[in-house]
């Protein structure tokens, strides 16, 4: 059971509905698809596959939502870390339209699943706001709005006054207001996806770490301490918590610690002036914070975590100070929860859909945008297995250059980013 006193799931463990029962695997079973990892990637893949008539089992070393999917900021962000023109360049003529379609439709996929399966996760469709600071921020937001408008999304650029009226902070010189996205309770969403997959016939096993994957003729045998799954297809959705299960897979992504903190519920007065329309906000700043309110009016803010310690040991003091700088009325409000986790970054900022061997697929690397994109990746993995074909190219195992030095890389990026942000 996820505990709320270990700095792992904080506010979300305290306010989510109970975890669905997921008994450990303790026998040898056959299925069509064995899924490793019960976050959004794994559970969305399982749900889409079960709906397509596949016999699916899911293994998680802990329980559904234990990884990033039960810890994140709950911001449903449209788009990727790459802008739409960068996506086009990254995938080239053969794939660019489909890849942009994936980025464009990812938020809608989340809300469609929530509606169809009546997932109880405090979903709010308030859209998404990105705050810009200085000339660089303004330039980025102008371009971003134009790119979104070119694919039919009514993204609007707000000036400083309009931004302050919308958000209740004077922090920004401009904002992009995007019609898609919003926010949700992330652990509730992970558990809701699990319930939906279980209702569609999927068997989900908690406390069942996959410890090896071996070929068995045309099939694969996934072994846990007390049982095995033999399946034609294996899906790996372990993201920032990827271990040594598949040789080299750990090097596909770079886990980067992120910390979050939340207040007590704000008074009605404060709620009228702080994010009155319940927007999710992130920033153009390189080392940014991201924030929102939950459905009881708690202010939730996250930012960069520690580099050399475990994420859960990181301090949230800088996030709290930033919150009080942006919204001085928060001074004196009690901060109750701290928690943290490891989103997975990729070297080229693109998510990875990989075929590790015939029948073994992996999806990961959402660069902090995984509510929408991991859900969408699960759908793409399912499409690949059912023969419909994914809308992203399936590549071989991706390897991050200089992976062994990744902590030094994070340290250098954060330090340089902080210095450059001061000049913007
Ligand atoms: C602090 C934080 C804030 C974030 N904020 C946002 C946000 O506001 N908006 C947004 O869109 N994204 C955000 N993200 C990113 C988002 O949460 C992730 O991209 C997304 O949840 C990834 O889902 P996943 O299913 O791929 O991986 P995860 O949810 O991490 O799931 C991986 C699962 O694999 C399991 N596992 C690992 N190895 C094994 C094994 N050998 N056998 C069995 N199971 C195994 C783990 O137990 C885990 O449950 C944030 C992440 C963090 C940590």
């Amino acid at each position: 059971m996820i505990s709320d006193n270990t700095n792992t799931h904080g506010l979300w463990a305290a306010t989510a509905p109970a975890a669905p029962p997921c008994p450990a695997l303790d026998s040898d079973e056959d299925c069509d698809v064995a899924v490793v990892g019960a976050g959004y990637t794994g559970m969305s893949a399982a749900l889409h596959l079960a709906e397509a008539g596949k016999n699916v089992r899911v293994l998680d070393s802990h329980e559904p939502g234990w990884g990033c999917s039960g810890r994140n900021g709950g911001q449903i962000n449209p788009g990727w870390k790459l802008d739409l023109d960068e996506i086009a360049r990254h995938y080239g003529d053969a794939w660019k339209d489909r890849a942009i379609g994936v980025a464009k439709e990812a938020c809608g996929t989340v809300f469609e699943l929530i509606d169809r399966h009546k997932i109880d996760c405090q979903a709010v469709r308030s859209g998404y706001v990105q705050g810009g600071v200085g000339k660089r921020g303004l330039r980025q937001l102008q371009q971003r709005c134009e790119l979104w408008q070119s694919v039919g999304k009514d993204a609007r650029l707000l000036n400083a006054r309009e931004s302050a009226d919308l958000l209740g902070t004077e922090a920004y010189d401009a904002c992009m207001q995007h019609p898609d996205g919003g926010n949700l309770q992330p652990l509730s969403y992970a558990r809701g996806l699990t319930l939906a997959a279980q209702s569609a016939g999927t068997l989900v096993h908690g406390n069942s770490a996959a410890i090896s994957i071996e070929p068995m003729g045309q099939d694969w045998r996934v072994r846990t301490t007390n049982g095995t799954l033999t399946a034609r297809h294996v899906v790996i959705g372990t993201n920032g918590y990827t271990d040594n299960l598949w040789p080299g897979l750990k090097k596909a992504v770079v886990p980067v610690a992120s910390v979050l903190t939340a207040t007590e519920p704000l008074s009605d007065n404060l709620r009228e002036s702080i994010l009155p329309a319940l927007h999710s906000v992130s920033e153009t700043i390189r080392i940014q914070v991201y924030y929102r309110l939950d459905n009881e009016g708690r202010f939730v803010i996250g930012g960069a975590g520690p580099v050399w310690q475990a994420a859960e040991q990181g301090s949230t003091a800088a996030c709290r100070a930033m919150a009080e700088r942006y919204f001085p009325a928060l001074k004196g409000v009690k901060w109750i929860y701290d928690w943290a986790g490891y989103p997975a970054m990729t070297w080229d900022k693109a998510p990875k859909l990989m075929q590790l061997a015939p029948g073994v697929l992996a999806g990961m690397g959402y660069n902090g945008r995984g509510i929408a994109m991991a859900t969408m990746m699960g759908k793409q993995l399912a499409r690949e297995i059912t023969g419909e074909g994914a809308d992203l190219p399936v590549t071989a195992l991706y390897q991050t250059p200089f992976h062994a030095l990744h902590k030094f890389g994070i340290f250098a990026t954060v330090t340089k980013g902080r210095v450059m942000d001061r000049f913007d």
Side-chain angles (χ1 to χ4, degrees):
M1 213 23 215
I2 286 171
S3 136
D4 62 357
N5 58 7
T6 50
N7 285 357
T8 54
H9 298 76
L11 171 62
W12 309 134
T15 57
C22 297
L25 182 70
D26 60 2
S27 52
D28 299 326
E29 305 291 344
D30 294 333
C31 54
D32 296 327
V33 188
V35 176
V36 181
Y40 306 144
T41 303
M43 292 319 309
S44 165
L47 173 57
H48 284 97
L49 285 162
E51 286 180 329
K54 299 287 181 194
N55 171 6
V56 187
R57 287 188 185 240
V58 182
L59 301 172
D60 198 283
S61 21
H62 300 82
E63 64 174 280
W66 179 87
C68 288
S69 300
R71 306 172 186 229
N72 62 66
Q75 303 201 351
I76 313 168
N77 298 337
W80 297 357
K81 205 77 175 170
L82 293 174
D83 276 314
L84 298 180
D85 56 340
E86 294 172 313
I87 295 178
R89 279 198 295 279
H90 182 81
Y91 289 101
D93 284 345
W95 285 93
K96 66 178 186 194
D97 291 340
R98 279 194 275 175
I100 287 173
V102 164
K104 193 177 146 189
E105 283 152 32
C107 288
T109 302
V110 173
F111 288 123
E112 189 267 323
L113 288 177
I114 290 171
D115 288 344
R116 189 148 53 86
H117 299 284
K118 302 190 172 33
I119 296 177
D120 173 16
C121 62
Q122 304 174 13
V124 176
R125 291 155 214 236
S126 46
Y128 162 71
V129 173
Q130 191 168 36
V133 177
K135 282 193 188 134
R136 173 179 169 271
L138 181 61
R139 199 172 53 244
Q140 275 192 0
L141 292 181
Q142 259 165 349
Q143 284 169 356
R144 211 157 276 157
C145 283
E146 283 165 19
L147 286 164
W148 280 111
Q149 286 160 7
S150 74
V151 296
K153 291 287 179 189
D154 183 23
R156 293 197 310 132
L157 190 69
L158 308 183
N159 63 29
R161 186 70 267 137
E162 292 166 327
S163 304
D165 288 346
L166 186 74
L167 304 176
T169 173
E170 312 272 338
Y172 302 115
D173 297 312
C175 278
M176 175 181 74
Q177 188 178 10
H178 195 294
D180 288 358
N183 48 67
L184 48 65
Q185 211 283 21
L187 182 58
S188 305
Y189 177 53
R191 289 179 175 170
L193 277 180
T194 304
L195 277 172
Q198 288 173 324
S199 302
T202 300
L203 291 170
V204 185
H205 302 285
N207 294 316
S208 301
I211 51 181
S212 67
I213 304 177
E214 302 141 20
M216 290 284 297
Q218 286 203 314
D219 294 340
W220 294 92
R221 179 161 291 172
V222 185
R223 197 173 290 281
T224 68
T225 314
N226 295 316
T228 61
L229 296 179
T230 302
R232 177 57 55 90
H233 297 276
V234 178
V235 166
I236 303 180
T238 47
N239 206 44
Y241 294 88
T242 301
D243 55 18
N244 292 319
L245 176 64
W246 189 273
L249 186 56
K250 214 173 171 170
K251 292 190 190 166
V253 293
V254 174
V256 177
S258 187
V259 294
L260 278 152
T261 184
T263 65
E264 63 188 347
L266 304 182
S267 66
D268 289 348
N269 267 353
L270 286 185
R271 286 179 75 168
E272 277 167 26
S273 61
I274 296 175
L275 303 176
L278 300 176
H279 284 103
S280 282
V281 184
S282 73
E283 306 181 310
T284 58
I285 299 167
R286 293 174 189 81
I287 311 303
Q288 57 158 323
V289 289
Y290 49 96
Y291 53 87
R292 52 166 292 197
L293 296 181
D294 83 342
N295 78 325
E296 288 184 33
R298 299 176 183 89
F299 189 87
V300 181
I301 182 165
V307 178
W308 308 109
Q309 300 157 278
E312 291 78 9
Q313 289 163 3
S315 165
T316 55
C319 290
R320 294 177 179 187
M322 198 57 112
E324 291 175 8
R325 202 182 111 199
Y326 287 179
F327 301 98
L330 284 176
K331 283 184 187 141
V333 172
K334 276 203 191 94
W335 293 92
I336 310 279
Y337 302 96
D338 282 335
W339 70 102
Y342 287 100
M345 307 297 156
T346 55
W347 177 265
D348 57 11
K349 300 186 185 152
K352 301 294 162 213
L353 170 51
M354 298 167 283
Q355 186 182 49
L356 308 179
V360 183
L361 292 172
M364 57 184 62
Y366 312 112
N367 297 281
R369 307 290 185 102
I371 298 178
M373 199 41 219
T375 306
M376 182 52 122
M377 182 63 87
K379 183 174 174 181
Q380 298 304 321
L381 287 158
R383 286 175 62 90
E384 193 60 22
I385 289 171
T386 56
E388 286 169 278
D391 291 314
L392 292 173
V394 182
T395 66
L397 174 63
Y398 179 80
Q399 297 283 269
T400 308
F402 314 112
H403 193 272
L405 302 175
H406 73 265
K407 292 228 177 223
F408 294 96
I410 298 167
F411 180 73
T413 306
V414 172
T415 308
K416 183 176 160 204
R418 287 212 164 105
V419 172
M420 291 176 80
D421 283 338
R422 289 227 174 95
F423 288 103
D424 283 337

